[in-house]
Amino acid sequence: MRISIKKYLLYSSIFAIFTELFYFKLGIDWKLLYLIIITNFVLLIRLKKLQFNKYFFLILAGLFIHAVIANTIIGVPYKYMLAQLIGITILGTYYYNFISLYKTSELIPVYLKMCLYAAILGYIMYFLRINLNDGRLQSIFTEPAHYVVVVLPACYYYLKQKQYWLFLIIFGTLILSNSSIGYIGCALMFVIPNLSVKRVVSLLAAVPLVIGILYYIYQEYPFFKMRVEETYESLNVINTGKFDDQTNLSSYALISNLNVARHNLEDHPLGSGIGSHVYMHNNVYYSGIRPPEYIRIQKKHLINSADANSLFTRMISEMGLLGLALIIFLLVKASKVYSSKEMALAQGIFIYFLLKLFREGHYFPPEFYFFIWLFYFIYQENKNQVKAEAA
């Protein structure tokens, strides 16, 4: 019985990160994910005593104290902070305890297999024209970008393991997703592993030359100059909040949230507290934004205000300079996985973290804590192995 429960937990907990499409709306969104996590929590407690990672506890405690102070000073209702911390605590605690039940060598093959199944289903649904988003492949997810970020670590793993047929199966779906975040991820798979201190220094040394060439082209070629000025005007909306009527919805979502984050950072350099971006957006800074008329008519003027459209934007808005410091610290620490070929999947998860910073600022999508703790345990296992070999 003990073994069968462990096996069920293994497959169902990893399957949970692929269940985004399985929900119905009755007052709120009732998701299959919730049923799996609640049921599995009960089973998990039968197998082991729940543990709490000390680093996770310190981060949660820091976020709570920071939010209480910031919310009290600024006047943000505490409910925004509590909603986020409760969600983070539940999913973070569950996946930490779940993953600690297994060796990573047991977890990785199951995740890889499910990514392949999702990719194959994606091809079938794509060619049968089922569940497409403007003709773009999204498999059993609600958006192409969501599909991309879940399977991309597996795609990277197969590339590094030289399992090229399996790599191409998933890589092809990333192309068919026609997702900008997917294309960025594809580029990062080839760029990030090949970065080195020497190459970065060489790139920095070439910056003055590149700037000189671009300045010459800007002065001598009217078409290029026009494009630069148009781009500047678009980016200047981050400062002004006044949008051109031709601005598309995706650009509006990105820039309007950057505008709010910029003002929030200026007014509150240490942030306004976790969960507060949506409150500051809708109740404080939205009055300074002039959306395109068609977006106002469609009532999409508050689009992505709940998650700031990207994790980086949200963390800067809600945690200020502390959030920026935390992002830099964690990325520097996490980049150490590129020191060993044995941590190929963790390297793929590192790219997932970068993509999360670019797009979608939700703090607890189902795959987030699965990837965080799988990354953590892969890193710890490799660290322990290196110590054992050195002893």
Side-chain angles (χ1 to χ4, degrees):
M1 183 66 176
R2 186 180 181 87
I3 296 175
S4 63
I5 292 177
K6 279 192 69 175
K7 190 171 183 180
Y8 166 78
L9 286 173
L10 174 62
Y11 282 88
S12 63
S13 298
I14 297 177
F15 172 69
I17 73 176
F18 296 87
T19 60
E20 181 182 281
L21 191 63
F22 305 105
Y23 73 96
F24 65 92
K25 197 171 188 67
L26 186 63
I28 62 172
D29 289 342
W30 295 88
K31 299 182 180 182
L32 178 58
L33 169 70
Y34 301 156
L35 176 62
I36 293 174
I37 296 299
I38 292 169
T39 304
N40 287 8
F41 243 126
V42 175
L43 296 174
L44 196 59
I45 293 170
R46 288 184 60 185
L47 290 181
K48 60 173 289 189
K49 181 179 178 181
L50 290 182
Q51 297 174 315
F52 214 64
N53 181 272
K54 62 180 180 181
Y55 301 113
F56 185 51
F57 173 79
L58 288 173
I59 289 174
L60 282 177
L63 291 173
F64 176 76
I65 294 169
H66 172 262
V68 168
I69 294 172
N71 289 180
T72 302
I73 294 172
I74 299 169
V76 179
Y78 298 127
K79 65 180 181 179
Y80 294 97
M81 168 262 292
L82 291 173
Q84 299 304 309
L85 290 178
I86 290 170
I88 292 170
T89 301
I90 291 172
L91 280 177
T93 301
Y94 174 75
Y95 272 106
Y96 175 74
N97 284 275
F98 158 66
I99 289 180
S100 67
L101 274 176
Y102 308 89
K103 294 179 180 179
T104 59
S105 58
E106 298 175 275
L107 295 158
I108 292 172
V110 177
Y111 161 69
L112 295 173
K113 187 184 299 183
M114 290 191 183
C115 285
L116 280 174
Y117 292 157
I120 292 168
L121 274 172
Y123 282 118
I124 294 172
M125 296 168 78
Y126 179 81
F127 290 112
L128 293 179
R129 315 299 295 174
I130 299 172
N131 193 39
L132 299 184
N133 187 320
D134 294 327
R136 298 181 294 159
L137 182 148
Q138 59 188 34
S139 188
I140 50 174
F141 290 77
T142 57
E143 289 188 26
H146 295 176
Y147 166 75
V148 164
V149 296
V150 171
V151 304
L152 191 133
C155 187
Y156 177 89
Y157 177 86
Y158 285 130
L159 174 65
K160 304 314 286 185
Q161 297 300 116
K162 299 182 179 180
Q163 298 180 14
Y164 295 124
W165 280 114
L166 298 179
F167 160 73
L168 288 172
I169 289 173
I170 298 180
F171 187 77
T173 63
L174 301 184
I175 301 301
L176 291 176
S177 73
N178 197 22
S179 165
S180 57
I181 203 71
Y183 294 156
I184 292 172
C186 291
L188 291 177
M189 282 197 293
F190 297 97
V191 173
I192 296 292
N194 296 309
L195 285 179
S196 64
V197 174
K198 184 177 179 180
R199 286 174 179 170
V200 171
V201 170
S202 298
L203 287 172
L204 291 175
V207 167
L209 177 62
V210 172
I211 291 175
I213 292 172
L214 290 176
Y215 180 75
Y216 172 79
I217 296 173
Y218 174 78
Q219 292 292 339
E220 299 297 326
Y221 292 87
F223 178 78
F224 182 75
K225 183 176 182 178
M226 181 183 69
R227 289 298 184 192
V228 170
E229 291 174 350
E230 286 178 352
T231 302
Y232 171 78
E233 289 298 324
S234 296
L235 293 177
N236 195 44
V237 178
I238 296 173
N239 294 321
T240 65
K242 312 304 180 186
F243 287 86
D244 184 273
D245 284 338
Q246 303 305 314
T247 304
N248 64 58
L249 188 61
S250 296
S251 298
Y252 172 77
L254 171 65
I255 297 173
S256 62
N257 280 286
L258 283 171
N259 175 269
V260 170
R262 170 187 169 273
H263 287 295
N264 202 17
L265 182 61
E266 286 182 349
D267 295 342
H268 314 104
L270 297 182
S272 52
I274 188 169
S276 64
H277 177 85
V278 63
Y279 177 84
M280 303 304 287
H281 185 295
N282 298 350
N283 297 280
V284 180
Y285 298 116
Y286 176 70
S287 59
I289 296 175
R290 189 191 67 196
E293 187 62 24
Y294 82 93
I295 289 178
R296 192 190 300 275
I297 292 171
Q298 294 178 15
K299 297 184 178 180
K300 294 183 177 180
H301 49 286
L302 300 180
I303 186 170
N304 289 117
S305 62
D307 74 336
N309 198 60
S310 86
L311 189 59
F312 178 83
T313 303
R314 187 174 188 182
M315 289 184 69
I316 295 301
S317 179
E318 297 181 350
M319 301 169 208
L321 297 177
L322 298 175
L324 178 61
L326 181 62
I327 290 170
I328 294 172
F329 172 76
L330 292 177
L331 287 180
V332 170
K333 292 286 289 185
S335 66
K336 293 181 179 179
V337 295
Y338 286 96
S339 63
S340 171
K341 294 180 180 179
E342 302 301 316
M343 295 189 282
L345 186 62
Q347 294 169 13
I349 295 173
F350 180 83
I351 296 174
Y352 163 83
F353 293 150
L354 293 178
L355 296 181
K356 280 292 293 180
L357 290 173
F358 291 148
R359 173 76 186 275
E360 190 187 304
H362 292 297
Y363 288 128
F364 39 93
E367 82 284 348
F368 193 39
Y369 297 95
F370 171 73
F371 282 146
I372 286 175
W373 293 122
L374 184 57
F375 181 97
Y376 175 80
F377 281 103
I378 290 173
Y379 182 81
Q380 291 298 322
E381 285 182 11
N382 184 264
K383 186 178 177 180
N384 294 335
Q385 183 178 347
V386 171
K387 284 183 179 179
E389 291 173 354

